[in-house]
Amino acid sequence: MKKYLMFVMLIVFSCQPEELMIVEPLPQYEMIFEESQSSVTDGQEYSFEIVSEEEHQLVISKDGSVITKESFLPTLGINTKTIYTKSLPNDLLKLELINSTGVIKNTLIEIY
């Protein structure tokens, strides 16, 4: 009788469905300041890393003239913004990340 009970228990435990863990992929970020030049389109998201919580500015300029400037309070780590290019000239522009001490990072962006 013990053999039959062991056999039944073995069948019961071996026939249970396995639990599969679904691993969510980590989000991919386009780090805009890691490249010396990037191409951007209207509504495109770009990311950059911030190491302080003080007010920062994103400035887009051409030949030293400011075209647009956005001030924001960032979160520590990776921040993501959206760029809208319909009001920008289709040209090679300079994108700068600035805080109270000056320019932190910059890159060239080509508008399409």
Side-chain angles (χ1 to χ4, degrees):
M1 184 71 179
K2 284 186 179 182
K3 288 182 182 179
Y4 292 119
L5 184 60
M6 292 296 282
F7 183 70
V8 170
M9 294 293 281
L10 180 65
I11 291 175
V12 169
F13 286 117
S14 65
C15 292
Q16 290 185 359
E18 294 183 27
E19 292 183 29
L20 297 177
M21 292 182 56
I22 299 174
V23 178
E24 298 281 330
L26 294 174
Q28 298 292 322
Y29 297 105
E30 181 180 340
M31 304 299 278
I32 190 112
F33 293 111
E34 289 182 357
E35 302 291 329
S36 61
Q37 183 173 339
S38 299
S39 299
V40 295
T41 57
D42 189 52
Q44 179 178 343
E45 289 187 342
Y46 59 94
S47 301
F48 47 91
E49 189 168 4
I50 300 284
V51 293
S52 67
E53 290 182 331
E54 64 182 315
E55 184 178 42
H56 285 68
Q57 294 178 340
L58 284 169
V59 177
I60 297 177
S61 61
K62 180 180 178 186
D63 299 328
S65 298
V66 174
I67 298 172
T68 182
K69 180 182 350 181
E70 177 186 359
S71 297
F72 64 98
L73 287 171
T75 58
L76 287 177
I78 296 176
N79 289 259
T80 301
K81 295 285 186 182
T82 303
I83 188 165
Y84 299 101
T85 62
K86 289 185 179 180
S87 62
L88 298 175
N90 290 343
D91 205 352
L92 190 62
L93 306 174
K94 187 175 195 178
L95 174 65
E96 296 176 312
L97 179 63
I98 301 172
N99 67 3
S100 61
T101 60
V103 176
I104 302 171
K105 300 175 183 177
N106 62 34
T107 188
L108 297 174
I109 56 173
E110 189 169 3
I111 307 297
Y112 284 110

